[in-house]
Amino acid sequence: QACTARRGRNVKVNQNCLNVSDPDVAGRGQAQNETWVAVNPRNPKQIIATYNDYRRGDGTCGVTYSRDAGKTWADTTTPNGFVRGTAFNNKPRQYMQAGGDTSIAWDTRGNAYLSCQMFKRGSAVSPDPDQSSGFYIYRSTGSGGASFNFPGRPVAEHNDVAGAGDFLLDKQLMTVDNHIRS
């Protein structure tokens, strides 16, 4: 019963059920993993969960949010995949191939910040040798995680347009000072 929404009083936030009918396509293309959860310190009814989302094929930065303290959840689509290209001769780089390794945090004003890793896979999976990667921050202002700004702001970027494969920026974690002062 991997696809049920509840187990006792627990509510499943993400899913791990198959969304493909052909067994030879089954694998990463159906699941979510590496979940990160944060509660709004100003409004504990607002919760956001982020994760690696493989439901549409390759990984992306997935977000699910709740406005009722986790009783119900809704998915949103983050605007990732396009970056300004700061580290890439200031040329817009559309369609990074994959993303994931998310983290989420709230500030003292009730804004949520999503950290998303994005990267190109290189010649192992496409004719494009590019293996560039980066960490990008998206902000949700006033929507409790239902929507995020576009485009994301770069935190760190690695230019590997030539596909040298020297390294991948990987598994960032983020925190925000959310201590409410009186």
Side-chain angles (χ1 to χ4, degrees):
Q1 297 181 353
C3 296
T4 60
R6 294 185 178 272
R7 182 176 293 268
R9 294 181 58 188
N10 296 319
V11 178
K12 183 179 272 190
V13 174
N14 61 355
Q15 56 84 35
N16 60 348
C17 54
L18 293 175
N19 67 358
V20 295
S21 57
D22 296 328
D24 62 327
V25 186
R28 290 191 337 198
Q30 78 270 348
Q32 300 160 327
N33 58 31
E34 298 186 34
T35 304
W36 190 270
V37 179
V39 177
N40 184 346
R42 295 189 64 84
N43 181 354
K45 289 186 175 185
Q46 293 181 332
I47 306 170
I48 299 175
T50 67
Y51 38 80
N52 297 339
D53 192 349
Y54 294 100
R55 291 178 292 174
R56 295 184 180 169
D58 207 344
T60 190
C61 299
V63 175
T64 301
Y65 64 97
S66 175
R67 293 180 175 159
D68 58 10
K71 293 177 187 159
T72 61
W73 295 85
D75 288 343
T76 188
T77 302
T78 56
N80 59 329
F82 172 89
V83 298
R84 291 182 186 268
T86 308
F88 316 102
N89 301 323
N90 288 319
K91 294 180 181 175
R93 297 180 40 80
Q94 294 183 346
Y95 310 114
M96 293 290 238
Q97 290 171 308
D101 288 352
T102 61
S103 58
I104 191 85
W106 297 83
D107 69 13
T108 59
R109 295 180 180 166
N111 299 310
Y113 296 85
L114 169 69
S115 178
C116 176
Q117 169 210 38
M118 291 190 289
F119 55 94
K120 302 275 279 190
R121 292 203 181 269
S123 57
V125 297
S126 76
D128 183 0
D130 192 349
Q131 294 184 49
S132 298
S133 58
F135 301 143
Y136 301 89
I137 300 291
Y138 298 86
R139 183 173 64 188
S140 176
T141 305
S143 72
S147 64
F148 287 83
N149 69 311
F150 174 81
R153 300 286 182 211
V155 174
E157 295 175 304
H158 173 62
N159 183 341
D160 189 4
V161 175
D166 49 357
F167 71 89
L168 168 74
L169 292 174
D170 195 15
K171 200 54 183 174
Q172 76 288 6
L173 293 177
M174 171 186 63
T175 189
V176 172
D177 180 0
N178 62 6
H179 180 74
I180 299 174
R181 294 166 181 86
S182 51

